Amino acid sequence: GIEFIDSYVFNKAEYIRFNSTVGRFVGYTEHGVKNAEAWNSDAGLLGQEQAQLESYCKPNADIDYSAILDKT
């Protein structure tokens, strides 16, 4: 299967991440945890992130996979 991960980084440190398998945001810093709580309560935002899997990842997976195989 395909997994979509959307990471947010500040000063080279990841502070929050959306993972399509989990279906929610996870915070890695105090600021990230607070944002994750707020963002996870927004059904529209969660739906938007999850939609990236269908609208971008899946249609491009074959193209990306072929490009990787061509380089090996």
Side-chain angles (χ1 to χ4, degrees), residues 5-10 12-18 28-29:
I5 295 174
D6 192 5
S7 295
Y8 294 77
V9 177
F10 180 73
K12 299 182 182 179
E14 183 179 29
Y15 68 94
I16 191 169
R17 173 190 295 180
F18 176 84
Y28 296 102
T29 65

Side-chain angles (χ1 to χ4, degrees), residues 4-72:
F4 171 67
I5 295 174
D6 192 5
S7 295
Y8 294 77
V9 177
F10 180 73
N11 283 345
K12 299 182 182 179
E14 183 179 29
Y15 68 94
I16 191 169
R17 173 190 295 180
F18 176 84
N19 181 314
S20 66
T21 302
V22 179
R24 55 189 288 115
F25 290 94
V26 176
Y28 296 102
T29 65
E30 185 179 349
H31 179 68
V33 169
K34 287 180 182 176
N35 277 338
E37 288 174 9
W39 296 358
N40 285 330
S41 66
D42 185 338
L45 182 58
L46 289 177
Q48 211 174 337
E49 288 282 347
Q50 199 71 38
Q52 293 290 326
L53 183 67
E54 299 297 327
S55 65
Y56 180 80
C57 299
K58 288 184 178 178
N60 288 291
D62 290 337
I63 297 165
D64 294 341
Y65 189 63
S66 295
I68 292 166
L69 289 180
D70 289 345
K71 290 182 179 171
T72 55

